Amino acid sequence: MKDKIFGVLQRVGRSFMLPIAILPVAGLLLGIGSSFTNATMIETYGLESILGEGTILNALLTIMSSAGNVIFDNLPLIFAVGVAIGMAKKEKEVAALAAMISFFVMHICINAMLEIQGDILADGTIAEHVLDGTITSVCGIQSLQMGVFGGIVVGLGVAALHNRFYKIQLPNALSFFGGSRFVPIISTITYVGVGILMYFVWPYVQEGIYALGGLVTGTGYFGTLIFGIIKRALIPFGLHHVFYLPFWQTAVGGTMEVAGQLVQGGQNIFFAQLADPNTVHFSADATRYFSGEFIFMIFGLPGAALAMYRCARPEKKKQAGGLLLSAALASMMTGITEPIEFSFLFVAPMLFVVQVILAGAAYMIAHILNIAVGLTFSGGFLDLLLFGILQGNDKTSWLLIIPVGVIYFLLYYFIFKFLIQKFNLKTPGREEDDEETKLFTKADYRAKQGATAAGAASQAGDDEKSILITQGLGGKKNISDVDCCATRLRCTVVKPELVSESILKATSPSGIIRKGQGIQIIYGPSVAVIKSNLEDYLETAPNEEYIADEAPEENAAQIRTADKEDGTKKETEDTHTGGKVKKVLCSPVLGEAAEITEASDEAFAGKMMGDGYIVRPEEGMVYAPEDATVSFVFPSKHAVGLLSDDGVEYLIHIGVDTVNLNGEGFEAFVKDGDRVKKGDKLIGFDIKYIKEHAKSDECIIVFTSLQEGEEIRLAKAGAVNALDEAAEIITFN
């Protein structure tokens, strides 16, 4: 159990690397921009002509500050997406989309609860009974202040749902929504509930933070220690802002009369004293909430970074060094510590405990030594220069930071190095080789020993259909590309002569189409799951060709026999008479109606996906042929599925091979789940563009829910208006 928990924490830690990578740059932009556009600093040093409002430098620095600030303002969303990508096993782009959607859903649900309960008033203002700082704007949504922790809750939850459901298979009527398409759906539903739950749970966490603040103000040096420990411990939750801002900006952090004015809050007191020429020494009681940061941000954490670099594996030192150097520089120059803290927070929690204790002690030590250096943003060198060094040692006692900082550098370095080596902590550069490499080696070993692909797959837990598809396509080495559209597995092979249709038919497709090196295997709407399974299997399959045990003549004879049987079947269908009209069908398109057997696509013409008819369009618009629900709109907008109120399922496919147009020339007027009335616009399309860039512009209307003994009979061949009666469902039951 311990090893399992550790493994999960290690994966979580690695998932943080993606969002963390941007933080050093964001920190530099924000730190430099904020420091040199601070009005008090500019006025104090008389730099209005150079850095004042309206100057070019001020505009440039303001832009830099805004660019960095937007990243930190949206860290929760960045972490939600980043963690989901890092924790998802496959199809990570789907997890990212689901995480973004879930993040917004969770916060809008919290917002709705806040409005329902009267915490947010009708005019958008916050009610008086709400604790200051507990409600904030999250991407324009007024929600509870959850910080980065809110993003982590979304990222981890969505990743768990994704890994559980991205291969799910649904009943045939809902199969289009199976596989990875199901992940955003289940995530949205889940995070509606999470948002409601967080409304009731999270305020207790926030109130606890404010209650802890009462431990600080009246307990002297010990209170400063408690403040420092609590503030640093809240970094992972993104709640440190909620905790320390009252100490910086309100009477919680103390009051003092400066230049005849009563000033509240530690930071406000410092800047009031900065503007007062009569100040002899800045108040260490006011600055105790931030002066200690210079000790561990400029000296301590870089020592930790050096220790992690020295402990990295030789082959990974270069990569780890780049990450740790940028993180250390961000901490030293701007006081942005998240990059370096998150690099070890989850993979080695004991190191974070050490960091919290040492950092908390730094606040207390600065208070004891009467160090009084102010800041605008955080405890980096820029603020030390502006509000410590340039103010003089007599006013700030900043020189004492250097000897204490050197001691802290050594403490961090030796403690971190000892713990990393003693407990083999997986800090950056010490990660183990991933499991996929081992699986691939094992599969290769089996292949060399002459084991069959099926035997190897059964031991590895791979599914039989993927094995047969791989064999039917001539083996992994013969497959150069795998993709799918709404109903077909589209594969490209290197040697078409190695493809065995007899093996592929054992996977129960509706049909197989061969066009040179392109192989299309028709499975219907469940193809997305089949594609995902095949891609998983191919990662560990032996990289070799597979030659089927059948003679080419035999294979050709089988194809000829199948073609003959198909032709006989079509002839029988064409000459079949009688039957009873079950339902009259209206055309969704203006144009020329014809039998589906005239379709330019072999799969549709052979009724491999169902019976229907075609319309060669004269107007680029598809209308709803009756009242129905939109089952799906394919991402490339070239196909739409409908479910009529009486249970008839349609597939309206615009053009042949138009999936390759990636949506160019199409405009969708509906989305999945919409209710439409007869005559409503569904999809607009550019006939000229499709004719120039695709095989055909014909619209193919297929009915995928026909029962045994039912078929489609064209009622009106030739010219047909949109919504005219064009075909009928005939039953012989």
Side-chain angles (χ1 to χ4, degrees):
M1 177 60 74
K2 180 180 179 182
D3 291 339
K4 185 176 181 180
I5 293 173
F6 183 82
V8 172
L9 290 176
Q10 183 169 294
R11 286 180 58 208
V12 172
R14 285 202 299 266
S15 73
F16 275 44
M17 292 301 102
L18 181 61
I20 283 174
I22 190 60
L23 295 186
V25 174
L28 288 170
L29 290 172
L30 181 56
I32 294 172
S34 297
S35 295
F36 289 99
T37 55
N38 181 267
T40 304
M41 185 277 293
I42 294 172
E43 184 179 348
T44 300
Y45 297 108
L47 299 174
E48 289 86 355
S49 61
I50 301 174
L51 298 176
E53 290 189 16
T55 64
I56 296 177
L57 276 178
N58 183 274
L60 178 60
L61 290 166
T62 300
I63 293 171
M64 290 174 60
S65 178
S66 298
N69 198 48
V70 74
I71 295 174
F72 284 98
D73 284 348
N74 294 288
L75 270 184
L77 177 58
I78 293 171
F79 269 82
V81 175
V83 171
I85 291 173
M87 294 294 288
K89 294 178 180 177
K90 301 289 179 184
E91 303 195 39
K92 295 176 180 288
E93 68 280 2
V94 177
L97 175 63
M100 184 179 66
I101 294 170
S102 299
F103 182 85
F104 288 122
V105 167
M106 180 180 76
H107 281 290
I108 202 65
C109 290
I110 294 174
N111 172 268
M113 290 298 298
L114 290 169
E115 292 181 351
I116 291 170
Q117 298 297 324
D119 298 315
I120 296 178
L121 305 179
D123 60 359
T125 59
I126 299 172
E128 293 182 0
H129 68 271
V130 176
L131 196 63
D132 289 341
T134 59
I135 293 179
T136 189
S137 177
V138 181
C139 298
I141 303 170
Q142 284 186 302
S143 180
L144 293 175
Q145 171 63 277
M146 299 177 70
V148 170
F149 184 75
I152 295 173
V153 167
V154 171
L156 292 177
V158 168
L161 292 170
H162 176 84
N163 293 336
R164 171 68 178 82
F165 292 112
Y166 80 100
K167 289 185 179 180
I168 189 172
Q169 297 193 40
L170 300 177
N172 288 336
L174 301 172
S175 58
F176 178 80
F177 301 102
S180 60
R181 299 185 187 102
F182 186 70
V183 175
I185 297 172
I186 190 63
S187 298
T188 298
I189 296 171
T190 299
Y191 275 87
V192 169
V194 172
I196 296 172
L197 179 64
M198 283 297 175
Y199 170 80
F200 295 102
V201 173
W202 197 253
Y204 291 104
V205 179
Q206 293 177 315
E207 290 174 9
I209 292 170
Y210 276 92
L212 289 173
L215 295 173
V216 178
T217 53
T219 52
Y221 299 137
F222 180 74
T224 306
L225 172 66
I226 296 299
F227 171 86
I229 289 175
I230 294 173
K231 181 182 176 185
R232 302 318 301 175
L234 290 174
I235 290 290
F237 303 97
L239 294 173
H240 53 297
H241 300 296
V242 178
F243 177 71
Y244 76 73
L245 281 177
F247 294 95
W248 283 22
Q249 301 294 328
T250 73
V252 173
T255 60
M256 181 177 291
E257 186 175 313
V258 182
Q261 299 292 324
L262 186 66
V263 183
Q264 298 179 339
Q267 190 180 54
N268 294 332
I269 291 171
F270 173 81
F271 281 113
Q273 290 185 324
L274 182 67
D276 182 10
N278 298 317
T279 299
V280 177
H281 193 287
F282 297 114
S283 171
D285 285 334
T287 62
R288 62 174 170 163
Y289 305 114
F290 37 80
S291 287
E293 294 183 0
F294 298 101
I295 296 172
F296 67 86
M297 290 182 179
I298 298 177
F299 296 93
L301 286 173
L306 179 61
M308 289 188 282
Y309 171 73
R310 293 293 299 273
C311 292
R313 294 164 61 181
E315 66 271 19
K316 294 190 176 183
K317 271 196 172 183
K318 185 176 181 180
Q319 182 182 0
L323 173 67
L324 293 169
L325 177 61
S326 62
L329 286 174
S331 177
M332 293 175 66
M333 297 303 296
T334 70
I336 300 295
T337 63
E338 282 87 350
I340 191 167
E341 285 179 314
F342 279 114
S343 70
F344 60 78
L345 172 60
F346 285 96
V347 295
M350 70 169 65
L351 295 182
F352 186 70
V353 173
V354 172
Q355 151 66 0
V356 168
I357 295 172
L358 289 177
Y363 288 89
M364 181 180 69
I365 292 170
H367 192 191
I368 293 172
L369 295 178
N370 202 34
I371 297 173
V373 180
L375 49 74
T376 57
F377 175 67
S378 195
F381 180 76
L382 291 173
D383 278 322
L384 176 62
L385 174 67
L386 294 173
F387 305 112
I389 298 173
L390 295 181
Q391 302 306 317
N393 188 60
D394 291 341
K395 282 188 175 184
T396 62
S397 304
W398 72 268
L399 282 172
L400 293 174
I401 292 175
I402 297 176
V404 177
V406 171
I407 295 172
Y408 256 64
F409 179 89
L410 296 174
L411 281 173
Y412 271 80
Y413 176 77
F414 286 110
I415 292 175
F416 270 58
K417 185 177 181 181
F418 170 78
L419 292 175
I420 291 170
Q421 294 178 339
K422 175 71 174 177
F423 297 99
N424 192 27
L425 302 177
K426 304 303 180 184
T427 49
R430 291 176 61 84
E431 303 89 349
E432 299 293 341
D433 295 332
D434 59 46
E435 295 179 351
E436 292 183 357
T437 301
K438 295 179 181 179
L439 286 175
F440 181 79
T441 303
K442 193 173 183 180
D444 281 346
Y445 173 76
R446 285 178 183 150
K448 290 177 182 178
Q449 296 301 314
T452 64
S458 64
Q459 295 179 41
D462 295 306
D463 66 291
E464 184 179 352
K465 179 173 283 190
S466 296
I467 298 166
L468 291 172
I469 293 173
T470 302
Q471 292 176 341
L473 293 174
K476 175 181 175 179
K477 193 173 182 179
N478 194 46
I479 302 172
S480 64
D481 184 62
V482 175
D483 202 351
C484 74
C485 64
T487 56
R488 310 179 191 189
L489 184 68
R490 295 170 174 256
C491 301
T492 304
V493 296
V494 180
K495 301 177 181 178
E497 63 270 18
L498 294 182
V499 175
S500 170
E501 292 195 22
S502 62
I503 296 178
L504 292 176
K505 287 177 181 177
T507 63
S508 302
S510 299
I512 301 170
I513 299 173
R514 303 178 62 166
K515 297 180 180 178
Q517 293 178 300
I519 310 297
Q520 298 180 14
I521 312 168
I522 304 166
Y523 290 109
S526 64
V527 69
V529 176
I530 295 172
K531 169 182 173 281
S532 180
N533 288 336
L534 177 60
E535 288 175 330
D536 287 349
Y537 171 69
L538 288 175
E539 288 186 3
T540 57
N543 189 26
E544 59 188 13
E545 293 180 348
Y546 182 87
I547 301 175
D549 294 329
E550 58 184 16
E553 277 48 330
E554 252 178 284
N555 195 24
Q558 290 174 357
I559 295 171
R560 286 194 295 271
T561 301
D563 289 342
K564 184 177 180 181
E565 290 174 354
D566 286 345
T568 303
K569 182 179 178 183
K570 288 177 189 177
E571 186 179 351
T572 302
E573 289 173 346
D574 291 343
T575 58
H576 198 83
T577 58
K580 178 182 177 183
V581 177
K582 180 179 179 181
K583 180 171 181 170
V584 175
L585 305 169
C586 296
S587 173
V589 184
L590 167 66
E592 182 181 339
E595 299 284 351
I596 196 170
T597 53
E598 298 181 24
S600 302
D601 184 280
E602 296 93 329
F604 286 116
K607 303 183 181 180
M608 294 178 183
M609 284 175 284
D611 203 354
Y613 62 98
I614 67 171
V615 177
R616 299 182 179 97
E618 297 176 4
E619 177 191 28
M621 183 61 64
V622 176
Y623 301 93
E626 60 179 308
D627 295 354
T629 300
V630 178
S631 301
F632 64 87
V633 177
F634 205 73
S636 53
K637 305 173 189 175
H638 75 290
V640 59
L642 297 178
L643 176 63
S644 69
D645 292 344
D646 58 359
V648 175
E649 294 180 3
Y650 293 74
L651 172 65
I652 304 175
H653 195 286
I654 305 168
V656 176
D657 290 341
T658 44
V659 66
N660 299 321
L661 300 182
N662 297 316
E664 290 292 327
F666 295 91
E667 180 181 5
F669 297 97
V670 292
K671 60 182 182 301
D672 297 0
D674 280 356
R675 282 286 301 163
V676 293
K677 296 289 187 182
K678 182 177 180 179
D680 287 350
K681 292 181 180 180
L682 299 179
I683 296 179
F685 55 98
D686 187 332
I687 297 177
K688 181 180 178 182
Y689 182 84
I690 294 174
K691 284 183 176 179
E692 291 175 353
H693 296 88
K695 183 176 179 180
S696 170
D697 66 338
E698 61 196 22
C699 297
I700 306 163
I701 301 91
V702 179
F703 299 85
T704 57
S705 63
L706 296 181
Q707 303 299 313
E708 189 72 27
E710 294 181 351
E711 65 178 40
I712 301 299
R713 182 176 295 170
L714 195 63
K716 184 179 180 182
V720 61
N721 290 319
L723 308 184
D724 276 0
E725 295 180 4
E728 300 166 335
I729 298 178
I730 304 297
T731 178
F732 297 93
N733 296 327

